[in-house]
Amino acid sequence: MAEQKTVTFIITRQDGPDSAPYEETFHIPYRPNMNVISALMEIQKNPVNANGEKTSAVQWDMNCLEEVCGACSMVINGTARQSCAALVDQLDQPVRLAPMDTFPVVRDLIIDRERMFDALKQIKGWVPIDGTHDLGPGPRMPEKKRQWAYELSKCMTCGVCLEACPNVNDKSTFIGPAAISQARLFNSHPTGEMNKSERLEGLMEEGGVLGCGNAQNCVEVCPKGIPLTTSIASMNRATLVQSFKNFFGSDNAH
Amino acid sequence: MEHREYFNRRLHSLLGVVPIGLFVVQHLIINHFVVYGEESFNKAANFMASLPFVTALEIFVIYLPILFHAILGVYIAFNVPTYNNKSYGYFRNWMYTLQRITGIITLVFIAWHVYQTKVQVALGNVELDYNLMADILNQPFFFWFYIVSVIAIVFHLANGLWSFCVHWGIAQSPRAQQIVTYITVGVFFVVSYIGIRTIIEFTMGA
């Protein structure tokens, strides 16, 4: 039998939330068109490292396998992205995998994205329509605006923008680009617009929109191509107008 | 106070342009009088030093704004970021890092520059005139220290103008931000020229 071609993976591992990270190398049998997830599955099938020692299988998170859920995001060769969409043939070797350590690491490549959901709570990233009786249909949205808003709605809370952002880390309270862009999305919705100022107030709280340092990595790395920096600048303007309304007074301040 | 961090960040951004940015440009332009000769420089410097309410102007237009901008700036540069230019080597990410480096250089320079000129004049060790600066700038170390610092300060100002336009929601679309980039690059070269020309002029001898 011909020699089996292999791919080398160097993986940053961590046994638990409080343990120290370490690197482990694996040689994985190559198959054409394999992605990073299928390589991790090979390790799961046969958890033996490059020294031939039996080890624990590398843990990771995944769900949709088609780059719409965001669960499998990790740092691949230094850049945060989804591992399902990372084809081994297109990667420099050895392939280096690491968790997105802007977030607390749970184990190996699994991280806890809680802060992103807290951020969505801070900016009230939803349209409140629940009540005790039927309020009837809301205002209609122009088709052109719907198409525009659809681009912003593609956010899957994957965390890649937060990982790439130099201002997001365990020392800072900055909520990150994703939530700021969501505030813009819901503020442009005809019904969501009715609670516009509540979201802007959220953006003016600690860790809000001015925590941005304009490094603009977010817009470069966003797998969905969301215009995050435009959203941030837009919310900069909107919060400014809101603070003028709050201070000088306005009948439209809500 | 409500929204304290938000208010501080807005104030930081505003003070960087008005009055600090204006002051820096004004200071470099006044210094540029040296190009028209020693007399011309001394006249301009004396005019500035004899402005009415000069102490109040200095405190409220220069010292307090710079102090606030510097203190919050040091916090922003050291306590917040994880610099990641190696992994994400994009243009704006480099500008982000350089903005923080040049900010620190500016702070060190200002501290030294004030000690070397303002404090020494106040102590009566030197006279505020052409010779004070010519003596300093004819020492090679200080010549290069001033050249590097002026470039760093002007970079910090020009790139800060760009950030100001984004932070205040003036330049929102990528196109607008791109054009503001071109304009601020222009500002960088023009103001740098004024500053460097002045420094070199001092070393040419009267």
Side-chain angles (χ1 to χ4, degrees):
Chain A
M1 201 180 96
E3 179 93 351
Q4 168 76 54
K5 205 178 147 196
T6 62
V7 193
T8 303
F9 276 73
I10 303 172
I11 303 176
T12 304
R13 305 193 59 181
Q14 187 170 326
D15 294 337
D18 302 316
S19 25
Y22 60 95
E23 282 188 350
E24 196 158 35
T25 307
F26 295 89
H27 298 305
I28 292 154
Y30 172 81
R31 275 180 290 126
N33 303 323
M34 73 194 300
N35 63 4
V36 168
I37 298 239
S38 60
L40 288 167
M41 284 170 162
E42 285 297 328
I43 298 176
Q44 207 174 32
K45 274 195 269 178
N46 180 28
V48 173
N49 67 20
N51 302 329
E53 299 153 0
K54 199 156 172 53
T55 180
S56 57
V58 176
Q59 303 296 307
W60 79 97
D61 213 353
M62 63 171 175
N63 193 5
C64 75
L65 302 180
E66 54 180 359
E67 209 187 59
V68 290
C69 78
C72 70
S73 310
M74 58 184 73
V75 178
I76 301 170
N77 285 345
T79 310
R81 53 186 297 195
Q82 277 75 53
S83 51
C84 65
L87 302 178
V88 170
D89 289 333
Q90 293 167 4
L91 296 172
D92 288 341
Q93 287 172 21
V95 180
R96 288 177 181 275
L97 304 182
M100 297 201 295
D101 60 7
T102 276
F103 301 93
V105 176
V106 177
R107 184 173 175 180
D108 292 340
L109 302 169
I110 302 177
I111 46 127
D112 178 0
R113 270 197 231 87
E114 184 79 35
R115 71 181 291 162
M116 294 193 76
F117 303 111
D118 290 339
L120 289 172
K121 288 179 208 162
Q122 179 173 336
I123 58 102
K124 300 194 194 309
W126 56 82
V127 176
I129 50 165
D130 289 343
T132 52
H133 62 100
D134 184 2
L135 296 171
R140 286 180 62 92
M141 190 179 209
E143 171 59 15
K144 209 173 165 187
K145 191 175 188 184
R146 185 199 63 76
Q147 285 179 13
W148 170 87
Y150 182 69
E151 295 304 317
L152 299 183
S153 75
K154 285 178 178 174
C155 177
M156 53 193 181
T157 326
C158 70
V160 164
C161 57
L162 274 77
E163 172 70 17
C165 176
N167 272 7
V168 177
N169 53 56
D170 51 5
K171 283 181 292 179
S172 95
T173 52
F174 181 44
I175 57 173
I180 297 172
S181 191
Q182 289 297 296
R184 185 188 185 204
L185 169 68
F186 288 105
N187 275 3
S188 59
H189 186 279
T191 308
E193 203 179 15
M194 295 171 186
N195 305 77
K196 200 168 155 185
S197 62
E198 292 172 26
R199 294 190 196 90
L200 295 177
E201 292 290 337
L203 287 177
M204 294 195 282
E205 278 163 24
E206 207 189 329
V209 66
L210 287 182
C212 170
N214 290 313
Q216 302 205 334
N217 291 339
C218 54
V219 75
E220 302 277 359
V221 297
C222 177
K224 296 283 132 185
I226 299 169
L228 293 166
T229 49
T230 313
S231 289
I232 293 170
S234 161
M235 291 299 100
N236 277 330
R237 185 190 291 175
T239 49
L240 181 65
V241 172
Q242 183 67 33
S243 31
F244 274 116
K245 285 177 177 173
N246 290 350
F247 183 76
F248 293 107
S250 161
D251 293 346
N252 296 315
H254 304 298
Chain B
M1 184 173 37
E2 214 193 355
H3 303 323
R4 181 187 293 273
E5 188 203 49
Y6 174 84
F7 177 81
N8 284 344
R9 288 299 194 102
R10 283 262 184 238
L11 186 62
H12 180 83
S13 177
L14 178 67
L15 290 180
V17 179
V18 184
I20 302 171
L22 284 175
F23 163 71
V24 169
V25 173
Q26 174 270 128
H27 190 43
L28 292 177
I29 289 176
I30 294 291
N31 291 347
H32 189 262
F33 270 108
V34 74
V35 171
Y36 316 118
E38 184 180 335
E39 269 311 295
S40 179
F41 176 82
N42 284 341
K43 224 173 90 189
N46 285 331
F47 172 74
M48 293 311 288
S50 58
L51 283 177
F53 317 115
V54 71
T55 310
L57 286 175
E58 282 174 342
I59 290 173
F60 293 105
V61 179
I62 309 175
Y63 301 148
L64 290 180
I66 289 183
L67 211 55
F68 180 88
H69 194 85
I71 291 170
L72 189 55
V74 167
Y75 173 80
I76 289 171
F78 284 111
N79 213 34
V80 178
T82 26
Y83 295 105
N84 57 8
N85 302 86
K86 221 181 126 210
S87 302
Y88 304 98
Y90 306 110
F91 171 73
R92 271 291 148 210
N93 199 24
W94 276 111
M95 294 297 108
Y96 169 92
T97 301
L98 285 173
Q99 184 70 0
R100 280 142 187 81
I101 295 172
T102 53
I104 300 300
I105 296 175
T106 304
L107 179 60
V108 171
F109 174 79
I110 291 175
W112 180 254
H113 183 57
V114 169
Y115 172 77
Q116 202 173 27
T117 57
K118 196 81 195 164
V119 173
Q120 295 305 318
V121 171
L123 291 175
N125 294 340
V126 289
E127 287 274 328
L128 174 65
D129 61 6
Y130 173 87
N131 291 328
L132 168 64
M133 287 321 294
D135 288 347
I136 292 171
L137 292 171
N138 277 306
Q139 304 167 48
F141 171 79
F142 282 117
F143 175 79
W144 288 111
F145 180 57
Y146 272 69
I147 291 273
V148 169
S149 300
V150 164
I151 292 172
I153 290 166
V154 177
F155 176 91
H156 193 82
L157 169 62
N159 192 50
L161 274 178
W162 181 87
S163 314
F164 175 88
C165 289
V166 176
H167 265 148
W168 292 79
I170 298 164
Q172 187 175 308
S173 67
R175 178 96 183 115
Q177 294 186 2
Q178 189 65 48
I179 287 172
V180 175
T181 301
Y182 296 144
I183 294 171
T184 52
V185 167
V187 169
F188 172 73
F189 281 113
V190 170
V191 182
S192 292
Y193 168 80
I194 296 172
I196 292 170
R197 173 87 203 270
T198 306
I199 294 174
I200 292 173
E201 198 65 35
F202 270 109
T203 64
M204 307 283 247

